Amino acid sequence: MELKSKKKRKIVYILGYGFFILFWIIVICLSLELFERLRWKHIEKTNKFVRIRKGELLIKEWDGGTEESVHYGEGKYKFVPQQLLVGEPWCYPETDPLEMWSYRYLIYFTEIEPFQSSFSDIYNIHQFRMEINQSNSELIFSPINKPLETIPHISECKTIIEQIPKSKIEAGLAFLWNENINGESLQFFFCPIHDTSKDYSYHVFLHPQKGKNEGINPILKKLAINDLWDMNYFSYIPHINSTEMPFRINNFGFRDRDFKVPKDKGVFRILCIGASTTEEGISNQETYPKFLEQELKKHFGDNRIEVFNCGVSGMVVKKHCAKLPDYLYLQPNLIILYEGINNVVYEVFQEAFDNTLLTTRIAFLLSHFVRKQMRILIPYPEDEIKSYIDRFIINYIDYLCKVFFSRNIDVCISSIGVPYRNKLNSEDRDYYDFYYEKEWGFPHSTFQQYCDVMKLYNEILKEYCKKNSVLYVPVEENIPASTKYFGDICHMRQEGIKLKAQIMAETLIPYLEKRLGLTNSSTASSE
C-alpha cells in the first residue's frame, strides 16, 4: 500500500510540475505575443514614415523635401474623368477593335505555349466551333478544347448567334459581335475557318468586356482609380484623363502619350514593360521611361528614339505573355523588362506557404510574434524557392525573350531595386516591416524574407542574362537602400525614379550607339 501511495504521489508531483511548466510556457508565449503587438502599435503611433503614409504628418516633414517627395500611392485615390478628344496634341484615334482582336488571334494561332494558355486565362476566353450548312441554314456548334456545357451562358450564346444576319456569317470574314447577357457585357469574335467549300465554319471566341463608362458614378461624376481598369490589373481604359492631376491613359491603354502606328520611318521605339514599379510617377512626365527618354535624347540629340511607359499596376510575367500581341503591334525595337516583385510576393511566397505544415500556417496566421521571429528559424528552403521562381517567372521570361528575338526585337532585363533591410537604420526598418505586413506579405512572408528572396531573384536574373546574351541593367546594384529613394518596399520616390532612369541610360547608350550605327564622334558632334 505504501508503495502504491508513493507512486501516486510521484505521478501527482510529475503532473503538478508539468502543469506548472506548461503554465509558464503559456505565460511567456502570451507575454511575447503581447510585447510584439504593443511594439507594432508603438511603431504605428511614433514612426514618422508611417504617420506620413497615414496623412498625420506633412510630406515635407519626411526630409524637408518639396512636392517632388511624394512617393507612389499618395494622392492617387480619386479622379475626375475626362475622355480625351482625338485631335488634341498627341491624341490619335484608338485602334479599330476588329483590327486589334484580329491581330491578337493571328498571334494566338501562330504562337505556342505558354502564350495560348496565358492569353485564354487572362482574357477569360472560351471558344467553340460553329458551322452553317448551306443547304438548310442549320447552325451546328461543336466543342474545341472543352465541352460546350462548361462554357458560361452557352444556351443564350446559341440564341444570340442564331439571330445574327446570315449574310454576315456567309461573308466568310472575321467580325465582332457585342451583347449583354444577364447584365454581363460579352464580346464574340468570329474567326473564319477556310477548311471546307461546302459549309461556312468559324472559330467563335467569347470573353467578357467592360464598357468605357461603366466605372463612372453617374451622380458624383467620380472615377476611383480602381475604375480606370478595362481589365483589372491588366489594362486601363484608353483615352481617359484626370483633371485633378497630370495622369492620362493613351490610345492603347498605357500611361503615356498616344502611340502612332505604324510608327514614323527611322524611329527607334523602346517599350518599358512591367508593373506599378514601371508605371509609377506623380505625373506622366515623371516616370522612369520619360526620364530615360530625356537622357537618351540629351545624348543623341535628335528625335530618333522614343521611349514609352507600358507599365500596368499589378502585372506579373504571365500577363505580359498574354499582352504579347499588343506589344508586337506597337512595333518596338527594344523591350525593357523591369518585373518580378508581384510574382515573388503573390506567387512564389504563396506557393511556398501553401506547402508548409498546416500547424505552421495556423501559427503564422494567429501570432505576430511567430510571424516576426520564428521565420528566421524556419525559412523557406532555397531550392524550393528557386524552383518556384523558375516556374512562375523565368520560364515566361525565357519565352518572351525567344519571341522578341525571333522578330528582331532586342530585350533588356533590369535587376529590381530593393531597400535591403540589413542596410537600413532602425526607424526605416520598422517602417518597411510595418507596411510589408500590412499591405504585402501577411501571412506568408516578412520583409526580411522578401529582401532575401529578391536578392536571390536578382542573382538568377543576372545569370540568365549572361547565359542567354541578354542586355542586363544593374539597377539593384546601384540604388542605395534608403527612404530617400524608396517610398515602400519597391515603389520609388522621385529621386529613386530619376536614379533608376539614369542607370538605365548609362547601360543603354553604348548599346544604342552600336545598334544605330553611331560612333562616339558622331554622337559628340550631335551634342
Side-chain angles (χ1 to χ4, degrees):
M1 291 293 294
E2 186 177 349
L3 182 63
K4 287 184 178 181
S5 63
K6 284 183 178 180
K7 286 184 178 179
K8 287 181 180 179
R9 284 197 298 270
K10 187 175 182 180
I11 292 172
V12 170
Y13 288 146
I14 292 172
L15 289 174
Y17 281 124
F19 281 118
F20 179 80
I21 292 170
L22 178 62
F23 171 79
W24 282 107
I25 288 175
I26 293 172
V27 169
I28 291 170
C29 289
L30 290 175
S31 299
L32 290 171
E33 180 66 17
L34 178 62
F35 170 79
E36 192 64 35
R37 289 177 182 268
L38 290 175
R39 192 180 74 86
W40 221 240
K41 288 291 184 183
H42 178 73
I43 291 172
E44 186 175 10
K45 289 182 178 180
T46 61
N47 187 282
K48 68 178 180 181
F49 303 117
V50 174
R51 294 180 67 197
I52 289 169
R53 191 70 173 266
K54 293 171 65 178
E56 295 175 4
L57 288 177
L58 296 176
I59 296 297
K60 65 181 180 181
E61 295 183 41
W62 188 298
D63 63 351
T66 61
E67 186 178 320
E68 206 175 47
S69 294
V70 178
H71 68 274
Y72 181 87
E74 293 173 346
K76 285 177 56 178
Y77 299 111
K78 291 290 183 181
F79 291 87
V80 175
Q82 180 184 41
Q83 293 190 7
L84 299 175
L85 301 177
V86 175
E88 293 180 352
W90 288 106
C91 196
Y92 298 120
E94 297 174 33
T95 305
D96 178 64
L98 178 58
E99 179 182 344
M100 195 69 240
W101 279 104
S102 296
Y103 186 82
R104 286 169 180 158
Y105 283 113
L106 174 65
I107 303 298
Y108 180 86
F109 285 118
T110 55
E111 281 299 327
I112 56 173
E113 294 297 343
F115 167 72
Q116 289 186 342
S117 58
S118 300
F119 186 80
S120 297
D121 290 346
I122 301 304
Y123 280 102
N124 193 20
I125 290 171
H126 301 276
Q127 57 176 308
F128 54 92
R129 180 172 174 141
M130 182 200 75
E131 298 179 42
I132 178 170
N133 191 300
Q134 289 184 343
S135 59
N136 57 16
S137 298
E138 180 185 3
L139 288 176
I140 302 171
F141 301 93
S142 56
I144 292 180
N145 52 12
K146 60 181 179 180
L148 287 176
E149 56 269 18
T150 64
I151 298 175
H153 313 299
I154 186 60
S155 58
E156 293 92 337
C157 291
K158 291 179 179 179
T159 303
I160 288 169
I161 293 173
E162 289 170 352
Q163 295 173 355
I164 296 175
K166 292 295 187 292
S167 58
K168 196 168 188 66
I169 296 176
E170 292 173 355
L173 301 174
F175 66 96
L176 290 173
W177 196 266
N178 299 317
E179 285 288 346
N180 190 293
I181 300 178
N182 298 331
E184 182 178 5
S185 298
L186 298 176
Q187 179 170 275
F188 298 81
F189 178 82
F190 293 82
C191 179
I193 305 172
H194 301 291
D195 60 357
T196 175
S197 58
K198 181 181 179 182
D199 300 329
Y200 294 101
S201 303
Y202 286 86
H203 276 295
V204 182
F205 296 90
L206 171 68
H207 68 271
Q209 65 169 356
K210 179 179 178 181
K212 189 163 185 174
N213 295 308
E214 284 184 19
I216 300 175
N217 186 306
I219 300 174
L220 300 177
K221 303 295 183 183
K222 285 282 187 179
L223 182 73
I225 186 169
N226 289 337
D227 294 321
L228 286 173
W229 298 111
D230 177 39
M231 294 180 61
N232 287 344
Y233 305 108
F234 183 70
S235 60
Y236 293 118
I237 300 171
H239 277 172
I240 290 289
N241 188 48
S242 164
T243 57
E244 292 186 350
M245 62 180 294
F247 185 103
R248 79 184 291 276
I249 307 300
N250 69 12
N251 55 337
F252 278 85
F254 297 111
R255 190 186 167 190
D256 210 318
R257 66 181 185 272
D258 283 15
F259 281 98
K260 187 176 182 181
V261 180
K263 64 183 179 183
D264 291 333
K265 187 177 181 181
V267 167
F268 190 91
R269 179 170 285 178
I270 300 173
L271 302 187
C272 300
I273 68 175
S276 54
T277 48
T278 295
E279 180 231 45
E280 65 182 346
I282 59 176
S283 75
N284 277 24
Q285 294 305 310
E286 294 171 284
T287 64
Y288 102 71
K290 293 297 100 181
F291 289 133
L292 174 61
E293 186 175 58
Q294 292 173 20
E295 291 293 319
L296 296 180
K297 288 186 175 182
K298 187 190 304 179
H299 179 85
F300 291 102
D302 58 27
N303 292 318
R304 293 176 61 184
I305 297 174
E306 296 179 339
V307 183
F308 281 93
N309 183 353
C310 292
V312 176
S313 181
M315 291 287 279
V316 292
V317 185
K318 179 180 179 179
K319 291 183 179 180
H320 291 299
C321 286
K323 222 171 180 64
L324 178 64
D326 297 50
Y327 299 144
L328 295 176
Y329 189 87
L330 297 173
Q331 301 177 317
N333 300 99
L334 172 67
I335 300 290
I336 300 176
L337 179 67
Y338 188 92
E339 184 64 282
I341 297 160
N342 291 327
N343 289 94
V344 167
V345 174
Y346 299 119
E347 292 182 336
V348 172
F349 280 140
Q350 185 66 60
E351 188 75 10
F353 181 78
D354 289 344
N355 285 299
T356 56
L357 293 173
L358 177 61
T359 52
T360 305
R361 297 203 303 271
I362 292 173
F364 286 154
L365 280 165
L366 297 178
S367 172
H368 278 262
F369 177 77
V370 172
R371 283 199 302 276
K372 185 74 171 62
Q373 306 298 334
M374 297 304 291
R375 283 193 180 280
I376 301 172
L377 304 175
I378 315 174
Y380 295 126
E382 186 173 303
D383 289 343
E384 183 180 315
I385 293 295
K386 283 183 177 179
S387 69
Y388 297 146
I389 289 174
D390 282 340
R391 187 170 108 201
F392 291 116
I393 310 176
I394 301 301
N395 288 340
Y396 290 107
I397 288 178
D398 185 58
Y399 171 76
L400 287 170
C401 287
K402 288 176 179 176
V403 172
F404 289 130
F405 287 150
S406 69
R407 288 167 167 79
N408 198 32
I409 301 169
D410 287 345
V411 179
C412 171
I413 296 177
S414 173
S415 58
I416 306 299
V418 180
Y420 288 115
R421 193 175 187 276
N422 60 352
K423 298 180 180 180
L424 300 169
N425 61 42
S426 59
E427 187 171 37
D428 291 352
R429 284 198 300 271
D430 287 343
Y431 166 63
Y432 290 127
D433 283 341
F434 181 85
Y435 266 103
Y436 186 82
E437 172 151 334
K438 184 179 177 65
E439 297 181 350
W440 295 79
F442 176 84
H444 45 67
S445 59
T446 63
F447 176 54
Q448 181 61 59
Q449 284 182 301
Y450 165 80
C451 292
D452 294 339
V453 173
M454 288 305 298
K455 187 171 184 61
L456 174 65
Y457 172 62
N458 280 324
E459 291 171 356
I460 291 172
L461 278 183
K462 187 174 183 179
E463 183 61 29
Y464 174 84
C465 291
K466 182 180 179 181
K467 182 179 178 181
N468 294 277
S469 300
V470 177
L471 187 62
Y472 173 78
V473 181
V475 167
E476 174 243 12
E477 296 88 333
N478 291 285
I479 289 191
S482 167
T483 50
K484 177 180 179 182
Y485 300 103
F486 290 92
D488 60 22
I489 64 159
C490 59
H491 300 113
M492 295 184 186
R493 298 168 65 202
Q494 292 306 101
E495 287 299 315
I497 292 173
K498 288 178 181 178
L499 181 55
K500 178 162 65 173
Q502 183 181 337
I503 297 166
M504 294 267 190
E506 290 171 358
T507 302
L508 287 175
I509 285 172
Y511 152 80
L512 288 171
E513 288 177 346
K514 293 180 181 178
R515 185 76 157 78
L516 300 174
L518 301 175
T519 62
N520 291 334
S521 58
S522 63
T523 54
S525 62
S526 67
E527 293 174 356

